[in-house]
Amino acid sequence: MTRSLLLNPSLPLSISASVTVVSATRQAASALGVPYQSLETLAQNTLPQQGLTMASPLVAQRLLRQAISQTYPTQDSEGTACMVLPTVKTLLRSGVNLTAFLKLNSPRLQKLAQLTINYQDVLRTSNLIDSSELFWQVTKFPSIKQPFLFYGYFHPRPDQLAWIDAITAEGSILALPYQDSDLFSNNREAIEYLQPFGWEIQPSCTSTAVLGEQLQQAFLGNATVTDGVQLHAYPTVEAEVRGALKQVKTLLSQGISPQEIVLIARDERFYSSTLLDVAWEYDLPLNVSYDFPLVETRIGDWLSLLLEVVETDYSFETTARLFNHPLANTLTPQQWKAARSRYPNTRQAWEALGLNLKDLNLPQQDRRDKWVQRLQAIFNHFQLSQRSQLWTSEQEAGGKGAGSRGNAHHPLPLVEAIAFSQLQAALIELSKPENARISLKTFIQEVREMLALSIVIRQPEQDSVELHNLLSVFGAKYRHVFVLGTVEGLLSYPLENDPNLDYCDRKSLAQQGFPIETAVRQAQREAIAFYTLLQVPTLSLTFSYPRLIGRDATFLSPFVTRLGLTPTPISLQPFASLEEVRRHCLQQESNSLSTVDPIINHILHAWQVEQRRESSVSFDEYDGVVGLPLSVSDCRFSASQLTQLGQCPFKWFASRLLRLQELPEAHRELPPSLRGQLYHRCLELALLEVKTVEDLQKIDLDTLNAAFLQAEKDLDFLAFPGWDNSRGEHLAILQLNFTESSFLTDNSEILDHEIQFEAQWYGLSVTGKIDRLDRTPSGLVILDYKVSSQAPLGIQDETGKASIDLQLPLYKAAIAQRYPQDTIADAAYYSLTQRKPLRPAKRDEGALAAFAERVKWHLEQGNYAVAPDIDQKACNYCSFDLVCRRGTRLSRKQNNE
């Protein structure tokens, strides 16, 4: 009995009981009905017999940096390792003669060869091998030969062929697709390599009546595609996903088992988020079965944030994200409110909020095992193990859905308990050698590498439709196959040039006899992957693609066009979820679901509100026209309130009646409003005993500084970073005002400060506070301090411009009622920044009287429509733009008023 090459294999295969089956994928093993065992597993199992171990990705990265330091004069071994690692793995996997490589007439390639040799030497010092050289190394060892059936290795590499030949006895079979076509040149070379070792060709019997074989012949141009194959084009990715999942749901409703249906995407990560979201909506059992790095889990995301917190010395934004992370939320609402108002930026400041952070007090150097122990203490402090178990339980109880993790936003429903277990195993590797001392910076760098290199293996879910990529279904069989994203760049990976070993280098090396994979071979590998995919379906195959990805047009993959397919019209499919029915009801403005859907009426109402808001129909209650009257006699206004109402009624309505306000936030710099409060209070205290210019000249910097300190205390002012430096600038600005003649004239006397008043103004009750009142020979002068360099906006005039001053005329009326015997000579704004009086907006008593009547009308009618000034200057510092949603819609409504 000989060893056989089974060309163009098709299932079912006749498998002898004496033969051990080795399959490339779990799906291929399932199709054969045998336990899963891969070629890699066989090779790894032989390593302990030789006293070797395969280096973990983390250890391999660390040893590669050591080899780089021996080869390259660089200070950035981490960056260099990331750059050259793919090239080193290529050289190891290809099995090239590195000694011959050193003789090439290229210093760059010589360096690469020397680095690879040094890397292997460092590995052997620790009895390790790299995963890329696994098959070449185990081929050197004696092995017990036995009969095997290798299935799913349809495009074998030279190292895999060498290992297969080394371990197989008579009766072994290698299933290998082969046709008389240039597409199979690699497999032809594989046959030519194995035949001298006694392998004989055993053609299989294929039938063109089988869908898979028919499709493969059509791909080679030897047949045409008939029934069972479709191509659908959709406008967007989401539409494509919805179309495919609707067809899947239809099949499931017909009794088809989920295990007989598969979704395939070359880049499953591109489609996974949308697929999971729509599958949740459709209540479909969907399993996205690819592995992912630890950093993409919630545990990994939290640990990445922790490292960033340590590096940034507890900066506010990063630390707040860490403590508010969904996996380890430790901030109470009270602590979060205090954090927003105080803006803590150090560990001590965060501890002042009541947080226990003693475990996060890390030294600058320590032993590896001690670093890992400190990290474990932090995990225990935040109860990450229990929280990961709790997350998993809650997720399983929900039964479906895609989770989103904090800032990194992984789209998949992850099993966090498995991720935490994987993290613990990776930390064991990180702690070796235990006695080695490393810095905090090095430890952080290695933890980041660990998170990026450690892979979390997803556990397969039962009774669910699976999403796979092309490579993971090699050798598998499914009745119904849906292939998504059949466009250029998605169905096949574009060739990527290695900057260290580009395609020109590869072509030249191949011509010199080095077994390096060239661009042609990589392209053939992609074509063989698609060719093999065509054998997976047994009953139906549906291709689909989006015409647009984002804003970019797509082009159908040449692999699909070779089948001679053209997009077929998509039949009108039924609604697959309650959400789709709701959208239909919205479009028809129908509440036909009211008997089975308790929220459809609310949805319709919200939809109608939005339509009315954007239409030309007059303002309604959602734009401030509430129709609830208020008694004018019960209302009291300040000058700022009246100005606010005169600039935009809705602004006053949102602030004073709805009482909307932004959450308190600490400031990184002094905001104008707080600056004004500090200046006003400081001047009030500093000028308390000042009456004349002579008194003003006696105020020195110490007096002003004491007043400023008291103002900070009275306002409960929280200093922000850099305040100690900028504080002197504000004191200098205030002191310079005392030298200006316009601040207090020679013949003037300060009569009073911060004058509280209540007055009647055109039938409205007004209250307020006047900053300063001076007595001059010509009468009383009212001063209102401003920190801006321009006079404040007024209320709207007849043209809609915010140009009529209201504040100073109102103050004059209030003072006139308090001092009826005195003449009011003037009222002015005074800019403390510009150190001069400001010209106010125009004054028009007739317009003010008309405005007072308009205020009464607003109150009596309950009408506070969104109506900012024509230039929308009042909107510049408005906090309610998300509520009023101003824009072009205002012109549509105002034109209809």
Side-chain angles (χ1 to χ4, degrees):
M1 184 180 292
T2 61
R3 294 181 293 179
S4 302
L5 296 171
L6 181 61
L7 303 187
N8 303 317
S10 60
L11 296 180
L13 292 177
S14 177
I15 304 174
S16 171
S18 62
V19 172
T20 301
V21 179
V22 178
S23 54
T25 65
R26 293 183 182 276
Q27 289 68 38
S30 177
L32 293 171
V34 297
Y36 172 58
Q37 182 177 211
S38 69
L39 199 59
E40 289 77 7
T41 304
L42 279 178
Q44 291 176 27
N45 290 340
T46 66
L47 291 177
Q49 304 168 16
Q50 308 300 325
L52 294 174
T53 306
M54 194 159 68
S56 68
L58 181 62
V59 172
Q61 189 88 350
R62 186 190 304 168
L63 295 180
L64 179 60
R65 289 201 302 269
Q66 183 177 336
I68 287 171
S69 64
Q70 300 172 3
T71 311
Y72 292 100
T74 177
Q75 299 296 321
D76 183 17
S77 59
E78 292 86 358
T80 306
C82 293
M83 181 183 68
V84 302
L85 179 61
T87 312
V88 170
K89 285 187 170 291
T90 295
L91 295 177
L92 291 175
R93 188 179 295 112
S94 64
V96 298
N97 187 334
L98 295 175
T99 303
F101 230 72
L102 289 173
K103 300 176 181 179
L104 293 172
N105 188 24
S106 170
R108 175 172 51 84
L109 296 180
Q110 290 175 1
K111 278 285 188 181
L112 282 173
Q114 188 61 57
L115 171 62
T116 308
I117 292 173
N118 292 344
Y119 175 52
Q120 283 185 309
D121 292 341
V122 173
L123 285 168
R124 299 302 181 269
T125 303
S126 303
N127 294 323
L128 298 172
I129 66 169
D130 187 89
S131 60
S132 300
E133 58 176 343
L134 172 64
F135 294 120
W136 290 121
Q137 292 301 321
V138 295
T139 304
K140 299 176 182 178
F141 308 142
S143 58
I144 300 175
K145 298 188 177 185
Q146 57 180 311
F148 288 101
L149 167 62
F150 300 98
Y151 186 75
Y153 296 93
F154 296 148
H155 195 262
R157 301 191 310 264
D159 58 338
Q160 293 173 328
L161 289 173
W163 173 238
I164 288 173
D165 181 65
I167 62 174
T168 51
E170 290 189 355
S172 296
I173 300 173
L174 171 60
L176 196 65
Y178 178 74
Q179 297 283 341
D180 186 14
S181 168
D182 291 340
L183 177 65
F184 298 93
S185 59
N186 182 79
N187 287 2
R188 181 170 57 248
E189 292 176 5
I191 294 171
E192 293 171 353
Y193 170 81
L194 292 174
Q195 280 181 320
F197 297 107
W199 289 80
E200 295 184 359
I201 294 176
Q202 179 187 340
S204 62
C205 297
T206 60
S207 172
T208 55
V210 178
L211 178 62
E213 281 74 9
Q214 183 189 42
L215 286 169
Q216 289 180 333
Q217 291 302 314
F219 182 71
L220 297 175
N222 301 327
T224 57
V225 176
T226 57
D227 296 338
V229 184
Q230 291 182 316
L231 172 63
H232 296 313
Y234 296 88
T236 63
V237 171
E238 182 178 348
E240 179 192 12
V241 167
R242 289 185 178 276
L245 291 186
K246 283 182 180 181
Q247 295 175 72
V248 169
K249 190 166 186 177
T250 300
L251 291 173
L252 294 176
S253 67
Q254 294 172 356
I256 305 298
S257 169
Q259 283 78 24
E260 296 180 302
I261 306 170
V262 68
L263 296 165
I264 297 176
R266 185 63 168 88
D267 185 357
E268 68 268 57
R269 288 173 179 264
F270 177 82
Y271 275 94
S272 60
S273 178
T274 308
L275 277 168
L276 284 167
D277 288 343
V278 177
W280 178 88
E281 178 186 328
Y282 287 179
D283 196 17
L284 278 176
L286 178 64
N287 179 31
V288 178
S289 56
Y290 67 82
D291 304 330
F292 43 85
L294 187 58
V295 71
E296 294 184 9
T297 66
R298 286 176 176 80
I299 290 285
D301 183 47
W302 186 88
L303 185 50
S304 297
L305 280 175
L306 174 67
L307 301 178
E308 191 176 346
V309 165
V310 174
E311 284 185 320
T312 60
D313 195 20
Y314 298 85
S315 66
F316 174 75
E317 292 85 356
T318 307
T319 310
R321 283 162 48 205
L322 177 72
F323 292 147
N324 281 317
H325 194 278
L327 193 62
N329 193 341
T330 56
L331 284 181
T332 65
Q334 294 77 16
Q335 288 173 327
W336 178 228
K337 183 178 180 180
R340 290 173 66 96
S341 61
R342 299 181 188 179
Y343 211 85
N345 258 307
T346 63
R347 185 168 64 87
Q348 293 74 17
W350 282 101
E351 288 179 329
L353 299 179
L355 296 172
N356 180 11
L357 303 180
K358 65 177 183 179
D359 290 324
L360 272 69
N361 188 16
L362 303 176
Q364 291 302 309
Q365 268 205 345
D366 212 335
R367 290 178 14 171
R368 284 188 175 275
D369 57 344
K370 296 295 184 183
W371 279 123
V372 173
Q373 290 176 17
R374 291 179 184 277
L375 204 53
Q376 295 286 9
I378 294 173
F379 292 165
N380 293 334
H381 175 79
F382 286 96
Q383 300 179 325
L384 287 194
S385 177
Q386 298 90 322
R387 289 176 181 267
S388 63
Q389 294 284 352
L390 177 63
W391 172 263
T392 303
S393 300
E394 291 176 350
Q395 184 184 58
E396 291 173 351
K400 60 181 181 177
S404 64
R405 2 164 251 114
N407 296 303
H409 291 103
H410 194 284
L412 306 179
L414 306 177
V415 183
E416 293 300 321
I418 297 175
F420 187 78
S421 176
Q422 180 67 36
L423 174 60
Q424 295 296 318
L427 288 175
I428 294 175
E429 290 282 346
L430 191 64
S431 66
K432 298 176 182 178
E434 292 85 352
N435 295 327
R437 293 184 66 84
I438 58 174
S439 66
L440 174 60
K441 180 180 179 180
T442 301
F443 179 69
I444 289 176
Q445 174 64 29
E446 293 196 1
V447 171
R448 284 206 173 100
E449 290 179 355
M450 174 195 71
L451 292 175
L453 297 173
S454 299
I455 301 299
V456 178
I457 301 175
R458 290 182 55 83
Q459 299 298 313
E461 301 175 13
Q462 300 297 322
D463 299 324
S464 62
V465 178
E466 296 183 346
L467 170 69
H468 289 286
N469 62 33
L470 270 65
L471 304 181
S472 63
V473 292
F474 269 21
K477 288 292 182 181
Y478 292 90
R479 291 182 66 188
H480 303 280
V481 176
F482 295 86
V483 184
L484 306 174
T486 56
V487 297
E488 290 190 58
L490 278 183
L491 184 60
S492 60
Y493 285 163
L495 299 182
E496 294 184 0
N497 218 354
D498 184 343
N500 302 302
L501 194 63
D502 61 29
Y503 288 129
C504 291
D505 292 329
R506 290 169 180 261
K507 182 178 179 180
S508 175
L509 290 170
Q511 291 172 348
Q512 298 177 56
F514 290 97
I516 295 288
E517 188 174 59
T518 62
V520 173
R521 288 299 173 85
Q522 289 187 11
Q524 287 178 345
R525 187 177 295 277
E526 291 294 328
I528 285 287
F530 182 79
Y531 174 85
T532 306
L533 164 70
L534 297 177
Q535 200 176 36
V536 174
T538 62
L539 190 60
S540 73
L541 174 61
T542 303
F543 295 107
S544 62
Y545 69 97
R547 296 188 185 277
L548 289 175
I549 296 180
R551 295 184 178 181
D552 299 327
T554 61
F555 300 93
L556 190 61
S557 169
F559 292 162
V560 178
T561 57
R562 286 176 65 172
L563 295 174
L565 297 175
T566 56
T568 57
I570 304 168
S571 59
L572 185 62
Q573 297 172 323
F575 301 122
S577 67
L578 182 59
E579 284 76 11
E580 288 188 343
V581 179
R582 286 171 177 166
R583 283 194 287 271
H584 176 74
C585 288
L586 288 182
Q587 293 170 356
Q588 305 297 323
E589 296 195 3
S590 166
N591 63 347
S592 57
L593 283 180
S594 57
T595 56
V596 294
D597 186 4
I599 67 171
I600 187 62
N601 289 328
H602 299 287
I603 295 174
L604 279 170
H605 175 68
W607 174 248
Q608 291 162 358
V609 167
E610 288 303 307
Q611 285 185 310
R612 182 182 177 93
R613 186 195 292 270
E614 294 297 328
S615 71
S616 60
V617 179
S618 300
F619 292 109
D620 58 14
E621 63 269 30
Y622 298 98
D623 277 311
V625 185
V626 294
L628 300 175
L630 292 176
S631 173
V632 176
S633 60
D634 293 337
C635 295
R636 292 193 177 189
F637 297 92
S638 66
S640 60
Q641 286 188 45
L642 287 174
T643 301
Q644 193 177 55
L645 204 157
Q647 292 173 350
C648 177
F650 186 85
K651 188 175 182 179
W652 179 84
F653 169 71
S655 173
R656 306 300 175 177
L657 296 187
L658 296 182
R659 299 183 184 276
L660 302 180
Q661 58 181 348
E662 295 179 310
L663 292 174
E665 289 274 4
H667 300 286
R668 304 300 302 272
E669 57 184 23
L670 191 63
S673 59
L674 184 55
R675 181 186 177 196
Q677 294 178 52
L678 278 174
Y679 281 20
H680 279 69
R681 182 58 178 158
C682 178
L683 290 177
E684 179 187 2
L685 295 171
L687 302 180
L688 197 60
E689 303 298 329
V690 172
K691 296 296 183 182
T692 63
V693 172
E694 291 76 14
D695 297 333
L696 184 64
Q697 292 173 348
K698 296 177 183 179
I699 297 179
D700 57 15
L701 186 60
D702 291 338
T703 303
L704 188 61
N705 184 44
F708 203 86
L709 287 171
Q710 185 61 44
E712 291 177 287
K713 183 177 180 181
D714 292 346
L715 296 174
D716 194 22
F717 178 75
L718 293 174
F720 48 81
W723 172 245
D724 291 340
N725 295 328
S726 59
R727 188 175 180 276
E729 298 177 8
H730 298 292
L731 284 172
I733 289 173
L734 291 174
Q735 189 178 33
L736 284 173
N737 279 281
F738 297 166
T739 63
E740 298 291 340
S741 59
S742 57
F743 185 77
L744 181 62
T745 58
D746 291 338
N747 54 359
S748 298
E749 176 187 3
I750 297 178
L751 188 62
D752 205 349
H753 304 275
E754 303 297 326
I755 306 166
Q756 299 276 358
F757 69 85
E758 293 186 8
Q760 289 294 314
W761 184 75
Y762 293 113
L764 300 175
S765 297
V766 293
T767 63
K769 182 187 292 185
I770 298 174
D771 294 337
R772 203 176 96 195
L773 183 65
D774 293 355
R775 187 183 296 279
T776 68
S778 57
L780 302 180
V781 175
I782 300 169
L783 278 186
D784 189 73
Y785 299 136
K786 298 296 180 186
V787 295
S788 63
S789 58
Q790 296 179 344
L793 291 175
I795 62 173
Q796 296 184 36
D797 60 15
E798 67 279 0
T799 66
K801 289 184 176 292
S803 60
I804 298 178
D805 183 39
L806 178 143
Q807 187 174 353
L808 292 180
L810 192 153
Y811 286 176
K812 290 177 67 175
I815 292 299
Q817 294 177 31
R818 173 171 289 200
Y819 298 92
Q821 304 301 323
D822 291 292
T823 300
I824 301 176
D826 194 12
Y829 299 113
Y830 186 88
S831 171
L832 297 171
T833 304
Q834 296 292 319
R835 306 193 303 277
K836 65 179 182 180
L838 298 175
R839 178 181 297 177
K842 63 183 180 182
R843 300 177 182 178
D844 187 336
E845 288 297 328
L848 292 176
F851 167 69
E853 294 302 316
R854 194 160 69 248
V855 170
K856 298 173 187 177
W857 179 85
H858 283 303
L859 297 175
E860 292 168 354
Q861 299 296 319
N863 187 325
Y864 313 99
V866 181
D869 60 282
I870 193 170
D871 299 320
Q872 297 193 357
K873 292 182 178 179
C875 303
N876 291 339
Y877 300 101
C878 180
S879 303
F880 313 115
D881 54 332
L882 294 179
V883 184
C884 82
R885 289 162 61 177
R886 62 189 174 93
T888 56
R889 72 183 193 89
L890 294 185
S891 61
R892 292 194 293 270
K893 289 188 177 296
Q894 291 165 349
N895 291 337
N896 199 39
E897 287 291 310

